[in-house]
């Protein structure tokens, strides 16, 4: 009897179709570089989680738990059994030891979230459940499990707390400006954490087409027969490259207040990652383990983050980003000339710009002995 029970429990945690399982996987595997650097730094702060969790009384976490327990449907073998199976599958694939509670909340707006400080809980709305098919939902549940594995719930709550604080001190000019600067930076991290979770969803579903379909439905509703993935991705490319500097500024202004990247952008970013060598290495079983997390270097993570942003700017087709890249390239060339002792400027004018001899002025024909002596050479000016 016990052997049969053991086999049944094992079977409950096995995905409905064969998928690769990532045993002991570290969340660093799928985290966007900007997200990873922030998380590595926060994790290195000894006692940070403990202190912040001690302040959780200031936050409505317990209230939210009671609210979902009393006014939503808790997913289990008896309720929304297919979602319960999907949740266990996702936790099995990402090797999350404890399966977080999951609730379905009545809300026509498609949405999902992972909240909570001590123990994360996952909430999906009825609008989302009714919108997505099984494989699309698997990617979404994997997305939320990725948030749980990364510990995003703890750090995202900081953003919620500071946003509320900013509203309370709005009457203090300097205080509000300072807090809003922090909130703006946290929102940028928040958006990158969504890209990380999208990658986790792909690792769970292991079906890029399903992930793309889910994002399209979030943008255009349940009219999949009227939509096309390639055309949807073309929108992302047009958004990235289209317009002029005015449009670039408007993109920034539209993005700043958002906690999530735009849907077409998410789709394009996920497709790019799925086609990368990094993703293929993960699928081949080569990825960081959680046992190595303590050895992670904060400085290395920040360098990777900076390199990622630099690459994004360099490869961006956005008019403003291209201008920034061009200016940076020009400044780099100027700096190189300066380091070479002004060699780029002192080496003479180009041949096709040499002034004819008959156009020289009397001052140009002044004898060297009539000119004041030079105190230094260009090399001395360094």
């Amino acid at each position: 009897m016990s052997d049969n029970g053991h086999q049944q429990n094992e079977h409950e945690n096995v995905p409905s179709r064969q998928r690769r399982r990532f045993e002991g996987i570290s969340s660093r595997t799928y985290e966007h570089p900007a997200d990873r650097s922030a998380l590595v730094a926060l994790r290195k702060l000894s006692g940070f989680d403990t202190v912040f969790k001690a302040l959780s009384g200031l936050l409505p976490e317990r209230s939210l738990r009671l609210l979902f327990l009393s006014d939503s449907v808790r997913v289990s073998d008896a309720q929304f059994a297919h979602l319960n199976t999907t949740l266990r599958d996702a936790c099995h694939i990402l090797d999350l030891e404890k399966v977080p509670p999951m609730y379905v909340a009545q809300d026509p707006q498609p949405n999902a979230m992972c909240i909570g400080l001590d123990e994360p809980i996952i909430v999906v709305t009825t609008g989302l459940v009714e919108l997505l098919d099984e494989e699309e939902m698997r990617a979404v549940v994997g997305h939320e499990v990725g948030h749980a594995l990364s510990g995003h719930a703890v750090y995202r709550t900081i953003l919620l707390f500071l946003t509320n604080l900013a509203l309370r001190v709005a009457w203090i000019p300097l205080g509000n400006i300072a807090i809003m600067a922090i909130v703006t930076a946290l929102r940028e991290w928040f958006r990158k954490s969504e890209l990380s979770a999208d990658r986790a969803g792909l690792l769970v579903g292991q079906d890029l087409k399903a992930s793309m379909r889910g994002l399209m439905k979030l943008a255009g509703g349940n009219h999949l027969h009227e939509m096309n993935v390639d055309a949807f991705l073309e929108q992302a490319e047009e958004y990235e490259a289209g317009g002029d500097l005015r449009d670039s500024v408007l993109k920034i202004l539209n993005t700043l207040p958002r906690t999530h990247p735009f849907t077409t952008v998410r789709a394009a970013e996920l497709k790019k990652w799925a086609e990368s060598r990094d993703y293929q290495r993960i699928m081949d079983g080569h990825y960081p383990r959680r046992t190595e997390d303590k050895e992670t270097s904060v400085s290395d993570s920040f360098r990777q983050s900076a390199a990622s942003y630099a690459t994004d700017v360099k490869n961006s087709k956005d008019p403003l980003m291209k201008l920034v890249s061009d200016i940076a390239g020009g400044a780099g060339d100027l700096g190189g000339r300066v380091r070479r002792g002004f060699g780029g400027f002192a080496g003479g004018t180009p041949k096709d710009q040499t002034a004819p001899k008959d156009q020289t002025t009397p001052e140009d024909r002044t004898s060297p002995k009539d000119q004041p002596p030079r105190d230094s050479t260009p090399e001395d000016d360094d």
Side-chain angles (χ1 to χ4, degrees):
M1 182 70 178
S2 60
D3 290 342
N4 291 337
H6 179 67
Q7 291 176 358
Q8 183 178 2
N9 289 336
E10 284 186 343
H11 178 71
E12 287 179 352
N13 289 325
V14 176
S16 57
R17 72 170 174 83
Q18 190 63 36
R19 291 180 175 83
R20 179 176 293 279
R21 181 173 186 251
F22 306 101
E23 186 175 358
I25 189 172
S26 168
S27 60
R28 292 181 292 115
T29 303
Y30 57 81
E31 286 164 354
H32 185 281
D35 176 27
R36 186 191 312 135
S37 63
L39 292 175
V40 168
L42 289 172
R43 289 165 186 157
K44 289 289 184 179
L45 294 178
S46 178
F48 173 81
D49 288 359
T50 303
V51 171
F52 192 76
K53 288 175 182 178
L55 299 175
S56 62
L58 300 174
L59 302 165
E61 179 182 352
R62 296 183 69 87
S63 176
L64 285 174
R65 288 180 180 277
L66 290 172
L67 177 63
F68 290 122
L69 183 63
S70 63
D71 205 31
S72 300
V73 177
R74 182 163 57 191
V75 171
S76 66
D77 287 332
Q79 302 185 117
F80 289 100
H82 71 288
L83 291 180
N84 196 38
T85 300
T86 301
L87 176 62
R88 290 200 305 265
D89 289 353
C91 294
H92 174 78
I93 291 172
L94 293 182
D95 199 13
L96 190 65
E97 295 180 1
K98 187 173 183 179
V99 178
M102 184 175 178
Y103 294 89
V104 176
Q106 171 63 29
D107 188 344
Q109 182 71 27
N111 196 15
M113 56 184 170
C114 179
I115 59 175
L117 294 174
D118 294 315
E119 296 182 2
I121 62 175
I122 295 173
V123 181
V124 296
T125 64
T126 53
L128 187 69
V129 174
E130 294 165 1
L131 178 66
L132 304 182
D133 66 24
E134 180 181 348
E135 293 304 309
E136 295 158 6
M137 196 67 193
R138 189 183 303 278
V140 170
V141 173
H143 175 111
E144 301 305 326
V145 170
H147 279 317
L149 182 59
S150 289
H152 283 153
V154 174
Y155 307 117
R156 286 166 152 237
T157 308
I158 304 174
L159 177 59
L160 175 63
F161 176 75
L162 289 177
T163 301
N164 292 335
L165 181 61
L167 295 175
R168 294 178 183 178
V169 300
W171 59 276
I172 307 176
L174 294 180
N176 183 51
I177 292 174
I179 292 178
M180 287 310 299
I182 299 174
V183 168
T184 299
L186 281 172
R187 280 178 179 156
E188 167 62 12
W189 164 71
F190 200 107
R191 290 188 290 270
K192 293 300 185 288
S193 74
E194 286 299 319
L195 299 180
S196 299
D198 283 345
R199 296 175 179 183
L202 180 59
L203 291 178
V204 167
Q206 298 173 25
D207 185 347
L208 180 61
K209 292 182 179 179
S211 294
M212 293 290 106
R213 291 199 311 268
L215 289 170
M216 279 200 307
K217 284 185 176 181
L218 288 176
N222 194 14
H223 302 280
L224 200 59
H225 63 287
E226 297 284 355
M227 294 183 281
N228 178 277
V229 173
D230 292 334
F232 189 65
L233 291 172
E234 285 177 6
Q235 289 182 226
E237 186 173 352
E238 182 178 345
Y239 171 80
E240 170 70 13
D244 53 23
L245 292 178
R246 292 169 298 180
D247 295 303
S248 299
V249 174
L250 290 174
K251 291 177 192 176
I252 295 173
L253 294 177
N254 288 338
T255 302
L256 284 178
R258 294 178 61 90
T259 56
H260 287 59
F262 293 110
T263 315
T264 57
V265 175
R266 290 173 62 182
E269 287 286 338
L270 185 60
K271 184 174 185 294
K272 182 170 65 175
W273 187 70
E275 295 172 348
S276 70
R277 187 167 176 265
D278 290 340
Y279 177 73
Q280 188 57 54
R281 284 179 56 81
I282 297 170
M283 297 305 296
D284 290 340
H286 304 292
Y287 53 83
R289 265 62 175 183
R290 287 171 220 165
T291 53
E292 306 165 355
D293 283 349
K294 293 183 179 180
E295 303 172 3
T296 306
S297 168
V298 177
S299 58
D300 287 346
S301 298
F302 275 111
R303 278 195 291 269
Q304 292 173 6
S305 176
S308 173
Y309 274 114
T311 301
D312 288 345
V313 171
K314 182 179 179 180
N315 296 333
S316 176
K317 298 178 182 178
D318 180 80
L320 180 58
M321 292 299 101
K322 289 184 68 175
L323 177 62
V324 171
S325 180
D326 291 344
I327 292 175
D333 180 65
L334 179 63
R337 290 187 175 190
V338 172
R339 285 192 298 273
R340 292 192 299 269
F342 301 100
F345 299 103
T349 56
K351 291 182 179 180
D352 58 347
Q353 295 181 6
T354 303
K357 292 184 179 180
D358 59 351
Q359 294 182 3
T360 57
T361 63
E363 288 79 4
D364 295 328
R365 294 193 294 270
T366 303
S367 172
K369 65 181 180 180
D370 297 328
Q371 297 178 359
R374 297 186 62 184
D375 294 331
S376 61
T377 65
E379 288 74 20
D380 297 330
D381 291 337
D382 289 341

